[in-house]
Amino acid sequence: MKLNTDFSKHADAFFSQSTWVPSPIKEVSRKMLERDGGEIATATTLVNYEPNSYFSSHVHTGGEEFLVLEGVFADEHGDYPVGTYMRNPVGSSHAPVVKKSCMILVKLGQYQKDDHTPVHIDTQAHTFIMDPIRAGVTFLKLHTFKNEIVRLEEWPKNHTIELDNQGGIEILVLEGEFSHDNTSYQKFDWLRLPIGHSLHAVMNNKHCKVWIKTGHHLHQIQPK
């Protein structure tokens, strides 16, 4: 399966307009954002776990990165409430078990070479700090490796956020909404901009909170 695999093109997905697709585990469903491969794939996905669902133990051959969006995700290592950001390096493994229900954003197979650092951040327990460059923007750093930067950002209402794009930009809306290029992005909508296409995010009378990754397309294979 190939979905949004051309990183030279703009891509987006709207949560309210997409449908959940069953996975091999009947209690687990997905909304695919980008994917290259079958069940073993390089992928970015929204994954929904129903109550008392599980996923069999598996090894992260290409690494796993996820953010808990709703509910409580869990595995044999612990429970991860809303706002938990995790990075499980290449070669790690786990067996998810969800007692109630949850939804996560997960990225598979997108680790850079030599990025071996596991990450576990309860973002609800941290304070956002002011961005020294963009007025009104606050952020929480989640991960940095070479050109890749992952953050949570809060954008104030009635503001315009400009961001140059020298290595790719990827955004998932967590709260509120913004408009870019005359298109509105609301809660759990996803946007990916190719290198060279700057972000011009316009807020209305509500603030916006996003998960944002930049610089990562420099290490991903570009299509011919």
PDB file of all heavy atoms in Angstrom, residues 59-89:
ATOM      1  N   VAL A  59       8.210  -6.507  17.618  1.00  0.00           N
ATOM      2  CA  VAL A  59       9.486  -5.799  17.675  1.00  0.00           C
ATOM      3  C   VAL A  59       9.418  -4.602  16.733  1.00  0.00           C
ATOM      4  O   VAL A  59       8.916  -4.701  15.613  1.00  0.00           O
ATOM      5  CB  VAL A  59      10.653  -6.720  17.268  1.00  0.00           C
ATOM      6  CG1 VAL A  59      11.971  -5.941  17.252  1.00  0.00           C
ATOM      7  CG2 VAL A  59      10.752  -7.907  18.218  1.00  0.00           C
ATOM      8  N   HIS A  60       9.952  -3.477  17.189  1.00  0.00           N
ATOM      9  CA  HIS A  60       9.963  -2.269  16.366  1.00  0.00           C
ATOM     10  C   HIS A  60      11.219  -2.265  15.500  1.00  0.00           C
ATOM     11  O   HIS A  60      12.254  -1.713  15.866  1.00  0.00           O
ATOM     12  CB  HIS A  60       9.932  -1.023  17.250  1.00  0.00           C
ATOM     13  CG  HIS A  60       8.764  -1.006  18.184  1.00  0.00           C
ATOM     14  ND1 HIS A  60       8.904  -0.863  19.542  1.00  0.00           N
ATOM     15  CD2 HIS A  60       7.443  -1.140  17.955  1.00  0.00           C
ATOM     16  CE1 HIS A  60       7.707  -0.888  20.108  1.00  0.00           C
ATOM     17  NE2 HIS A  60       6.809  -1.060  19.169  1.00  0.00           N
ATOM     18  N   THR A  61      11.118  -2.895  14.343  1.00  0.00           N
ATOM     19  CA  THR A  61      12.291  -3.038  13.480  1.00  0.00           C
ATOM     20  C   THR A  61      12.767  -1.701  12.924  1.00  0.00           C
ATOM     21  O   THR A  61      13.932  -1.561  12.560  1.00  0.00           O
ATOM     22  CB  THR A  61      11.985  -3.996  12.321  1.00  0.00           C
ATOM     23  OG1 THR A  61      10.833  -3.514  11.606  1.00  0.00           O
ATOM     24  CG2 THR A  61      11.677  -5.398  12.854  1.00  0.00           C
ATOM     25  N   GLY A  62      11.851  -0.727  12.847  1.00  0.00           N
ATOM     26  CA  GLY A  62      12.230   0.598  12.367  1.00  0.00           C
ATOM     27  C   GLY A  62      11.995   1.689  13.383  1.00  0.00           C
ATOM     28  O   GLY A  62      12.036   2.872  13.058  1.00  0.00           O
ATOM     29  N   GLY A  63      11.738   1.295  14.646  1.00  0.00           N
ATOM     30  CA  GLY A  63      11.441   2.262  15.695  1.00  0.00           C
ATOM     31  C   GLY A  63       9.975   2.658  15.707  1.00  0.00           C
ATOM     32  O   GLY A  63       9.273   2.535  14.695  1.00  0.00           O
ATOM     33  N   GLU A  64       9.516   3.116  16.870  1.00  0.00           N
ATOM     34  CA  GLU A  64       8.120   3.537  17.026  1.00  0.00           C
ATOM     35  C   GLU A  64       8.063   4.836  17.822  1.00  0.00           C
ATOM     36  O   GLU A  64       8.742   4.995  18.837  1.00  0.00           O
ATOM     37  CB  GLU A  64       7.323   2.458  17.767  1.00  0.00           C
ATOM     38  CG  GLU A  64       5.885   2.856  18.068  1.00  0.00           C
ATOM     39  CD  GLU A  64       5.196   1.898  19.020  1.00  0.00           C
ATOM     40  OE1 GLU A  64       5.725   1.702  20.137  1.00  0.00           O
ATOM     41  OE2 GLU A  64       4.146   1.358  18.657  1.00  0.00           O
ATOM     42  N   GLU A  65       7.245   5.760  17.360  1.00  0.00           N
ATOM     43  CA  GLU A  65       7.012   7.033  18.032  1.00  0.00           C
ATOM     44  C   GLU A  65       5.509   7.190  18.177  1.00  0.00           C
ATOM     45  O   GLU A  65       4.776   6.977  17.212  1.00  0.00           O
ATOM     46  CB  GLU A  65       7.595   8.165  17.181  1.00  0.00           C
ATOM     47  CG  GLU A  65       7.251   9.570  17.641  1.00  0.00           C
ATOM     48  CD  GLU A  65       7.734  10.628  16.651  1.00  0.00           C
ATOM     49  OE1 GLU A  65       8.144  10.254  15.527  1.00  0.00           O
ATOM     50  OE2 GLU A  65       7.689  11.820  16.997  1.00  0.00           O
ATOM     51  N   PHE A  66       5.021   7.540  19.374  1.00  0.00           N
ATOM     52  CA  PHE A  66       3.576   7.741  19.493  1.00  0.00           C
ATOM     53  C   PHE A  66       3.235   8.802  20.528  1.00  0.00           C
ATOM     54  O   PHE A  66       4.010   9.087  21.442  1.00  0.00           O
ATOM     55  CB  PHE A  66       2.830   6.429  19.768  1.00  0.00           C
ATOM     56  CG  PHE A  66       3.044   5.805  21.115  1.00  0.00           C
ATOM     57  CD1 PHE A  66       2.297   6.203  22.223  1.00  0.00           C
ATOM     58  CD2 PHE A  66       3.966   4.774  21.285  1.00  0.00           C
ATOM     59  CE1 PHE A  66       2.463   5.608  23.461  1.00  0.00           C
ATOM     60  CE2 PHE A  66       4.143   4.171  22.518  1.00  0.00           C
ATOM     61  CZ  PHE A  66       3.391   4.589  23.614  1.00  0.00           C
ATOM     62  N   LEU A  67       2.035   9.371  20.346  1.00  0.00           N
ATOM     63  CA  LEU A  67       1.472  10.351  21.259  1.00  0.00           C
ATOM     64  C   LEU A  67       0.062   9.905  21.603  1.00  0.00           C
ATOM     65  O   LEU A  67      -0.747   9.631  20.707  1.00  0.00           O
ATOM     66  CB  LEU A  67       1.432  11.738  20.598  1.00  0.00           C
ATOM     67  CG  LEU A  67       0.771  12.857  21.402  1.00  0.00           C
ATOM     68  CD1 LEU A  67       1.604  13.214  22.638  1.00  0.00           C
ATOM     69  CD2 LEU A  67       0.564  14.098  20.521  1.00  0.00           C
ATOM     70  N   VAL A  68      -0.260   9.814  22.893  1.00  0.00           N
ATOM     71  CA  VAL A  68      -1.597   9.394  23.325  1.00  0.00           C
ATOM     72  C   VAL A  68      -2.542  10.586  23.208  1.00  0.00           C
ATOM     73  O   VAL A  68      -2.335  11.627  23.827  1.00  0.00           O
ATOM     74  CB  VAL A  68      -1.578   8.851  24.763  1.00  0.00           C
ATOM     75  CG1 VAL A  68      -2.977   8.380  25.165  1.00  0.00           C
ATOM     76  CG2 VAL A  68      -0.586   7.696  24.895  1.00  0.00           C
ATOM     77  N   LEU A  69      -3.599  10.418  22.418  1.00  0.00           N
ATOM     78  CA  LEU A  69      -4.545  11.492  22.133  1.00  0.00           C
ATOM     79  C   LEU A  69      -5.799  11.422  22.996  1.00  0.00           C
ATOM     80  O   LEU A  69      -6.372  12.454  23.356  1.00  0.00           O
ATOM     81  CB  LEU A  69      -4.949  11.448  20.658  1.00  0.00           C
ATOM     82  CG  LEU A  69      -3.809  11.513  19.639  1.00  0.00           C
ATOM     83  CD1 LEU A  69      -4.359  11.333  18.231  1.00  0.00           C
ATOM     84  CD2 LEU A  69      -3.038  12.810  19.768  1.00  0.00           C
ATOM     85  N   GLU A  70      -6.243  10.212  23.313  1.00  0.00           N
ATOM     86  CA  GLU A  70      -7.428  10.014  24.145  1.00  0.00           C
ATOM     87  C   GLU A  70      -7.239   8.746  24.978  1.00  0.00           C
ATOM     88  O   GLU A  70      -6.561   7.810  24.558  1.00  0.00           O
ATOM     89  CB  GLU A  70      -8.691   9.862  23.280  1.00  0.00           C
ATOM     90  CG  GLU A  70      -9.122  11.110  22.543  1.00  0.00           C
ATOM     91  CD  GLU A  70     -10.408  10.910  21.750  1.00  0.00           C
ATOM     92  OE1 GLU A  70     -10.762   9.743  21.485  1.00  0.00           O
ATOM     93  OE2 GLU A  70     -11.042  11.911  21.400  1.00  0.00           O
ATOM     94  N   GLY A  71      -7.873   8.720  26.158  1.00  0.00           N
ATOM     95  CA  GLY A  71      -7.854   7.520  26.977  1.00  0.00           C
ATOM     96  C   GLY A  71      -6.501   7.221  27.591  1.00  0.00           C
ATOM     97  O   GLY A  71      -5.664   8.117  27.766  1.00  0.00           O
ATOM     98  N   VAL A  72      -6.271   5.940  27.871  1.00  0.00           N
ATOM     99  CA  VAL A  72      -5.023   5.480  28.485  1.00  0.00           C
ATOM    100  C   VAL A  72      -4.490   4.300  27.683  1.00  0.00           C
ATOM    101  O   VAL A  72      -5.124   3.243  27.624  1.00  0.00           O
ATOM    102  CB  VAL A  72      -5.228   5.069  29.954  1.00  0.00           C
ATOM    103  CG1 VAL A  72      -3.911   4.568  30.556  1.00  0.00           C
ATOM    104  CG2 VAL A  72      -5.785   6.228  30.769  1.00  0.00           C
ATOM    105  N   PHE A  73      -3.348   4.479  27.055  1.00  0.00           N
ATOM    106  CA  PHE A  73      -2.653   3.382  26.377  1.00  0.00           C
ATOM    107  C   PHE A  73      -1.853   2.613  27.421  1.00  0.00           C
ATOM    108  O   PHE A  73      -1.445   3.177  28.440  1.00  0.00           O
ATOM    109  CB  PHE A  73      -1.719   3.952  25.304  1.00  0.00           C
ATOM    110  CG  PHE A  73      -1.005   2.917  24.499  1.00  0.00           C
ATOM    111  CD1 PHE A  73      -1.670   2.197  23.526  1.00  0.00           C
ATOM    112  CD2 PHE A  73       0.338   2.657  24.702  1.00  0.00           C
ATOM    113  CE1 PHE A  73      -1.018   1.241  22.766  1.00  0.00           C
ATOM    114  CE2 PHE A  73       1.010   1.713  23.955  1.00  0.00           C
ATOM    115  CZ  PHE A  73       0.329   0.998  22.979  1.00  0.00           C
ATOM    116  N   ALA A  74      -1.634   1.335  27.195  1.00  0.00           N
ATOM    117  CA  ALA A  74      -0.896   0.535  28.173  1.00  0.00           C
ATOM    118  C   ALA A  74      -0.202  -0.633  27.489  1.00  0.00           C
ATOM    119  O   ALA A  74      -0.632  -1.112  26.433  1.00  0.00           O
ATOM    120  CB  ALA A  74      -1.841   0.023  29.262  1.00  0.00           C
ATOM    121  N   ASP A  75       0.887  -1.081  28.107  1.00  0.00           N
ATOM    122  CA  ASP A  75       1.551  -2.315  27.712  1.00  0.00           C
ATOM    123  C   ASP A  75       2.162  -2.925  28.965  1.00  0.00           C
ATOM    124  O   ASP A  75       1.881  -2.480  30.086  1.00  0.00           O
ATOM    125  CB  ASP A  75       2.588  -2.077  26.607  1.00  0.00           C
ATOM    126  CG  ASP A  75       3.686  -1.107  27.008  1.00  0.00           C
ATOM    127  OD1 ASP A  75       3.872  -0.864  28.226  1.00  0.00           O
ATOM    128  OD2 ASP A  75       4.373  -0.582  26.111  1.00  0.00           O
ATOM    129  N   GLU A  76       3.004  -3.933  28.793  1.00  0.00           N
ATOM    130  CA  GLU A  76       3.570  -4.612  29.960  1.00  0.00           C
ATOM    131  C   GLU A  76       4.529  -3.731  30.748  1.00  0.00           C
ATOM    132  O   GLU A  76       4.906  -4.068  31.881  1.00  0.00           O
ATOM    133  CB  GLU A  76       4.276  -5.897  29.532  1.00  0.00           C
ATOM    134  CG  GLU A  76       5.551  -5.719  28.715  1.00  0.00           C
ATOM    135  CD  GLU A  76       5.309  -5.628  27.221  1.00  0.00           C
ATOM    136  OE1 GLU A  76       4.256  -5.084  26.816  1.00  0.00           O
ATOM    137  OE2 GLU A  76       6.176  -6.109  26.465  1.00  0.00           O
ATOM    138  N   HIS A  77       4.889  -2.580  30.185  1.00  0.00           N
ATOM    139  CA  HIS A  77       5.814  -1.674  30.862  1.00  0.00           C
ATOM    140  C   HIS A  77       5.118  -0.597  31.683  1.00  0.00           C
ATOM    141  O   HIS A  77       5.755   0.065  32.502  1.00  0.00           O
ATOM    142  CB  HIS A  77       6.734  -1.007  29.839  1.00  0.00           C
ATOM    143  CG  HIS A  77       7.452  -1.986  28.945  1.00  0.00           C
ATOM    144  ND1 HIS A  77       8.320  -2.933  29.438  1.00  0.00           N
ATOM    145  CD2 HIS A  77       7.398  -2.162  27.597  1.00  0.00           C
ATOM    146  CE1 HIS A  77       8.790  -3.658  28.425  1.00  0.00           C
ATOM    147  NE2 HIS A  77       8.254  -3.207  27.301  1.00  0.00           N
ATOM    148  N   GLY A  78       3.802  -0.367  31.455  1.00  0.00           N
ATOM    149  CA  GLY A  78       3.118   0.649  32.232  1.00  0.00           C
ATOM    150  C   GLY A  78       1.902   1.213  31.539  1.00  0.00           C
ATOM    151  O   GLY A  78       1.505   0.760  30.449  1.00  0.00           O
ATOM    152  N   ASP A  79       1.291   2.208  32.184  1.00  0.00           N
ATOM    153  CA  ASP A  79       0.131   2.913  31.642  1.00  0.00           C
ATOM    154  C   ASP A  79       0.561   4.298  31.160  1.00  0.00           C
ATOM    155  O   ASP A  79       1.368   4.971  31.805  1.00  0.00           O
ATOM    156  CB  ASP A  79      -0.954   3.078  32.712  1.00  0.00           C
ATOM    157  CG  ASP A  79      -1.542   1.748  33.147  1.00  0.00           C
ATOM    158  OD1 ASP A  79      -1.416   0.758  32.397  1.00  0.00           O
ATOM    159  OD2 ASP A  79      -2.133   1.696  34.240  1.00  0.00           O
ATOM    160  N   TYR A  80      -0.041   4.737  30.054  1.00  0.00           N
ATOM    161  CA  TYR A  80       0.349   6.000  29.441  1.00  0.00           C
ATOM    162  C   TYR A  80      -0.906   6.841  29.173  1.00  0.00           C
ATOM    163  O   TYR A  80      -1.627   6.595  28.205  1.00  0.00           O
ATOM    164  CB  TYR A  80       1.108   5.743  28.145  1.00  0.00           C
ATOM    165  CG  TYR A  80       2.185   4.692  28.300  1.00  0.00           C
ATOM    166  CD1 TYR A  80       2.031   3.414  27.749  1.00  0.00           C
ATOM    167  CD2 TYR A  80       3.339   4.962  29.039  1.00  0.00           C
ATOM    168  CE1 TYR A  80       3.011   2.445  27.909  1.00  0.00           C
ATOM    169  CE2 TYR A  80       4.327   3.993  29.202  1.00  0.00           C
ATOM    170  CZ  TYR A  80       4.152   2.737  28.639  1.00  0.00           C
ATOM    171  OH  TYR A  80       5.123   1.783  28.810  1.00  0.00           O
ATOM    172  N   PRO A  81      -1.196   7.835  30.018  1.00  0.00           N
ATOM    173  CA  PRO A  81      -2.412   8.639  29.863  1.00  0.00           C
ATOM    174  C   PRO A  81      -2.299   9.646  28.722  1.00  0.00           C
ATOM    175  O   PRO A  81      -1.245   9.789  28.092  1.00  0.00           O
ATOM    176  CB  PRO A  81      -2.511   9.346  31.217  1.00  0.00           C
ATOM    177  CG  PRO A  81      -1.095   9.459  31.681  1.00  0.00           C
ATOM    178  CD  PRO A  81      -0.416   8.215  31.200  1.00  0.00           C
ATOM    179  N   VAL A  82      -3.408  10.342  28.486  1.00  0.00           N
ATOM    180  CA  VAL A  82      -3.452  11.373  27.451  1.00  0.00           C
ATOM    181  C   VAL A  82      -2.268  12.322  27.600  1.00  0.00           C
ATOM    182  O   VAL A  82      -1.919  12.748  28.704  1.00  0.00           O
ATOM    183  CB  VAL A  82      -4.764  12.178  27.557  1.00  0.00           C
ATOM    184  CG1 VAL A  82      -4.709  13.405  26.660  1.00  0.00           C
ATOM    185  CG2 VAL A  82      -5.951  11.326  27.163  1.00  0.00           C
ATOM    186  N   GLY A  83      -1.638  12.639  26.484  1.00  0.00           N
ATOM    187  CA  GLY A  83      -0.499  13.547  26.495  1.00  0.00           C
ATOM    188  C   GLY A  83       0.842  12.868  26.603  1.00  0.00           C
ATOM    189  O   GLY A  83       1.880  13.527  26.479  1.00  0.00           O
ATOM    190  N   THR A  84       0.864  11.546  26.810  1.00  0.00           N
ATOM    191  CA  THR A  84       2.139  10.837  26.894  1.00  0.00           C
ATOM    192  C   THR A  84       2.787  10.743  25.516  1.00  0.00           C
ATOM    193  O   THR A  84       2.157  10.328  24.549  1.00  0.00           O
ATOM    194  CB  THR A  84       1.950   9.419  27.456  1.00  0.00           C
ATOM    195  OG1 THR A  84       1.337   9.489  28.744  1.00  0.00           O
ATOM    196  CG2 THR A  84       3.288   8.700  27.567  1.00  0.00           C
ATOM    197  N   TYR A  85       4.059  11.131  25.458  1.00  0.00           N
ATOM    198  CA  TYR A  85       4.838  11.027  24.222  1.00  0.00           C
ATOM    199  C   TYR A  85       5.924   9.989  24.430  1.00  0.00           C
ATOM    200  O   TYR A  85       6.680  10.057  25.409  1.00  0.00           O
ATOM    201  CB  TYR A  85       5.469  12.367  23.863  1.00  0.00           C
ATOM    202  CG  TYR A  85       6.375  12.326  22.648  1.00  0.00           C
ATOM    203  CD1 TYR A  85       5.843  12.237  21.361  1.00  0.00           C
ATOM    204  CD2 TYR A  85       7.764  12.375  22.784  1.00  0.00           C
ATOM    205  CE1 TYR A  85       6.667  12.198  20.248  1.00  0.00           C
ATOM    206  CE2 TYR A  85       8.592  12.341  21.678  1.00  0.00           C
ATOM    207  CZ  TYR A  85       8.044  12.255  20.405  1.00  0.00           C
ATOM    208  OH  TYR A  85       8.866  12.208  19.308  1.00  0.00           O
ATOM    209  N   MET A  86       6.001   9.027  23.507  1.00  0.00           N
ATOM    210  CA  MET A  86       6.950   7.920  23.634  1.00  0.00           C
ATOM    211  C   MET A  86       7.747   7.749  22.347  1.00  0.00           C
ATOM    212  O   MET A  86       7.235   7.949  21.244  1.00  0.00           O
ATOM    213  CB  MET A  86       6.213   6.608  23.913  1.00  0.00           C
ATOM    214  CG  MET A  86       5.423   6.569  25.199  1.00  0.00           C
ATOM    215  SD  MET A  86       6.454   6.370  26.673  1.00  0.00           S
ATOM    216  CE  MET A  86       7.129   4.715  26.408  1.00  0.00           C
ATOM    217  N   ARG A  87       9.014   7.347  22.528  1.00  0.00           N
ATOM    218  CA  ARG A  87       9.839   6.896  21.417  1.00  0.00           C
ATOM    219  C   ARG A  87      10.482   5.582  21.836  1.00  0.00           C
ATOM    220  O   ARG A  87      11.241   5.531  22.808  1.00  0.00           O
ATOM    221  CB  ARG A  87      10.913   7.933  21.063  1.00  0.00           C
ATOM    222  CG  ARG A  87      10.342   9.215  20.481  1.00  0.00           C
ATOM    223  CD  ARG A  87      11.437  10.205  20.130  1.00  0.00           C
ATOM    224  NE  ARG A  87      12.257   9.738  19.017  1.00  0.00           N
ATOM    225  CZ  ARG A  87      12.008  10.016  17.731  1.00  0.00           C
ATOM    226  NH1 ARG A  87      10.953  10.750  17.412  1.00  0.00           N
ATOM    227  NH2 ARG A  87      12.797   9.580  16.785  1.00  0.00           N
ATOM    228  N   ASN A  88      10.146   4.520  21.109  1.00  0.00           N
ATOM    229  CA  ASN A  88      10.699   3.196  21.347  1.00  0.00           C
ATOM    230  C   ASN A  88      11.679   2.885  20.215  1.00  0.00           C
ATOM    231  O   ASN A  88      11.267   2.683  19.070  1.00  0.00           O
ATOM    232  CB  ASN A  88       9.594   2.145  21.393  1.00  0.00           C
ATOM    233  CG  ASN A  88       8.655   2.359  22.575  1.00  0.00           C
ATOM    234  OD1 ASN A  88       9.100   2.593  23.688  1.00  0.00           O
ATOM    235  ND2 ASN A  88       7.355   2.275  22.330  1.00  0.00           N
ATOM    236  N   PRO A  89      12.976   2.858  20.508  1.00  0.00           N
ATOM    237  CA  PRO A  89      13.994   2.741  19.446  1.00  0.00           C
ATOM    238  C   PRO A  89      13.932   1.428  18.682  1.00  0.00           C
ATOM    239  O   PRO A  89      13.249   0.470  19.076  1.00  0.00           O
ATOM    240  CB  PRO A  89      15.306   2.864  20.223  1.00  0.00           C
ATOM    241  CG  PRO A  89      14.947   3.507  21.519  1.00  0.00           C
ATOM    242  CD  PRO A  89      13.574   3.031  21.835  1.00  0.00           C
TER     243      PRO A  89
END
